[in-house]
Amino acid sequence: MGVRNQEAIKQFLSMIEDVDEQLKNSFQNMHQGYRAETLERFLKARDWNVSKAHKMLVDCLNWRVQNEIDNVLAKPIPTDLYRAVRDSQLMGMSGYSNEGLPVIAVGVGLSTYDKASDKYYVQSHIQMNEYRDRVILPLATKKHGRYIGTCVKVLDMTGLRLSALSQLRLLTAISTIDDLNYPEKTDTYYIVNVPYVFSACWKVVKPLLQERTRKKIQVLQGCGREELLKIMDYSSLPHFCRKEDSKSSRDNAAINAENCFSFDHAFHQKIYNFIKQQALILESTSPIKRGSFFVDLPEPDPDDAKIAKTIENEFHRLEKQNGLTNSLNGLVVNGN
C-alpha cells in the first residue's frame, strides 16, 4: 500500500472517532477488530477520496442503526417462509477457495423471487451478508492467520430468460444495499452457464460498469469447472459447476444433496440455527418482536439506474428480435 493510501486511512481513522457512541458500536460490529481494513474498503469504493468515503461510512452506520442491522442475526424468518425464500432466491456457500476465501454461489437465471414478500428476500440477503462478515470471514481469518475480508462469487446463468423484468426493481434495490453498505466484499465474480441472452446484454452493459468492477468479472466457458478448479478444490465447486452436462440449478435442488441453494444444505442450516440461537439470547435480555424487520428499499445510484434501464431496453430489443415472451428472473452484477 502506498504512502498516500496509508495517510488516507490514518486521516479516516481520526475522522471516524468523532461519530457518536451508537455509530461507534455499530462500526465495531462491522469491522470485527479490523478497522483499517474496513475503512480501506470504503476508500476504494470512493476512489480514495477521504471526504466521500467518510460520508459513505457515516450514511452506512446510520442505516445500520435506523434499521437495527446489528440485531438482524437475531430475527429468524419463520421456517416455512425461509424455505420458500431458499427455493426462489438461489444463494448459498459451497466451500472455500485455495486462498481461504468463501465461495458464494448464486443461481441468477433460475431465481424467481415469487414465493415470499420482498421484505423477506431483503432480510435473508442482509442476514447472509452479516453472517459472512461476522462469522465466516473472522473464522477464515483465524484459521489462516491472516486477514480475509472478501469472498468469490460464482453466478449461474442457467435459465436466464427474456422480457418480463418483473423482479428488476427488487434486484436493483438489493444491489444498491450491497453497494452502499457492503462495498468491496467480493474479490472476483465468475459467471458460468452463459446463454445467448446474457452474452448480448453483457456487450452493452460492460462499458457502463466502473473499471474497478469490470476487472472483477470473469465470464467462463460452459460450467466453468476447469477454470474454477485452478482456484478451489472439487469439493468446493458449486453443484452446477461439477459436470459439463450438469442439470439446471432447480433440477438439482430436488436430487443433489450438495446443492448449496437448498434450505437443507449444511450452510443454510448453520445460518438458520445460529439466528435462532441468537434470538433466544437476545430475547432473554431484551425482548424483540419477531418478524418485525423492515428495510426501506433504497433508490439506486444514477449510474446503477442507467445500467438497469439499459438491461431492460436490451431485453426488450432481444424480445422483439426473437419473438420471445419469457421472463427475466435476474441480472445484477455490482461492485460489492
Side-chain angles (χ1 to χ4, degrees), residues 4 25 28 104 133 136 159 176 213 219 222 257-258 279 291 328:
R4 290 182 62 184
N25 290 336
Q28 188 171 358
I104 306 298
D133 294 351
I136 294 175
T176 302
T213 301
V219 181
E258 296 300 316
L328 167 64

Side-chain angles (χ1 to χ4, degrees), residues 81-294:
L81 282 171
Y82 190 74
R83 185 179 289 275
V85 168
R86 295 279 57 85
D87 286 343
S88 52
Q89 184 185 37
L90 304 183
M91 294 183 66
M93 178 177 158
S94 60
Y96 293 87
S97 74
N98 296 337
E99 295 183 348
L101 278 62
V103 178
I104 306 298
V106 186
V108 176
L110 290 172
S111 292
T112 56
Y113 295 89
D114 61 351
K115 297 184 182 300
S117 63
D118 288 357
K119 71 173 184 178
Y120 290 118
Y121 291 116
V122 173
Q123 179 177 350
S124 178
H125 184 84
I126 292 174
Q127 286 176 332
M128 288 185 67
N129 282 352
E130 292 292 314
Y131 187 79
R132 173 197 65 198
D133 294 351
R134 291 197 242 169
V135 179
I136 294 175
L137 291 174
L139 286 174
T141 295
K142 183 177 180 180
K143 177 180 178 180
H144 291 273
R146 58 181 173 77
Y147 177 67
I148 295 177
T150 59
C151 63
V152 297
K153 289 185 178 179
V154 185
L155 310 184
D156 179 22
M157 295 295 168
T158 299
L160 190 67
R161 301 174 184 230
L162 293 176
S163 118
L165 300 165
S166 60
Q167 303 303 332
L168 193 56
R169 176 182 173 275
L170 173 60
L171 290 165
T172 302
I174 289 175
S175 172
T176 302
I177 288 172
D178 284 349
D179 284 345
L180 296 179
N181 303 293
Y182 303 93
E184 297 296 319
K185 295 301 295 187
T186 302
D187 182 76
T188 309
Y189 297 91
Y190 296 98
I191 302 179
V192 303
N193 296 322
V194 175
Y196 166 75
V197 64
F198 173 83
S199 300
C201 271
W202 180 238
K203 291 179 181 178
V204 296
V205 170
K206 185 177 180 180
L208 301 178
L209 299 175
Q210 295 181 352
E211 182 181 3
R212 184 180 71 252
T213 301
R214 287 199 302 270
K215 288 181 176 179
K216 295 181 180 182
I217 299 171
Q218 295 189 32
V219 181
L220 306 182
Q221 290 189 342
C223 69
R225 180 184 60 186
E226 299 307 318
E227 287 298 314
L228 291 174
L229 284 174
K230 296 177 182 178
I231 67 161
M232 68 184 74
D233 292 337
Y234 182 86
S235 61
S236 290
L237 281 178
H239 57 282
F240 50 81
C241 296
R242 294 194 173 189
K243 295 180 180 179
E244 286 295 343
D245 60 347
S246 61
K247 296 182 179 180
S248 71
S249 302
R250 189 175 299 281
D251 291 335
N252 279 335
I255 64 175
N256 191 338
E258 296 300 316
N259 181 355
C260 62
F261 299 151
S262 171
F263 172 77
D264 298 316
H265 188 270
F267 170 69
H268 286 298
Q269 286 295 303
K270 286 180 181 178
I271 290 182
Y272 199 66
N273 289 332
F274 179 89
I275 292 172
K276 289 194 295 184
Q277 291 169 1
Q278 293 301 304
L280 291 174
I281 294 171
L282 186 59
E283 287 176 353
S284 69
T285 57
S286 178
I288 59 173
K289 295 180 180 179
R290 295 196 179 202
S292 62
F293 181 79
F294 292 93

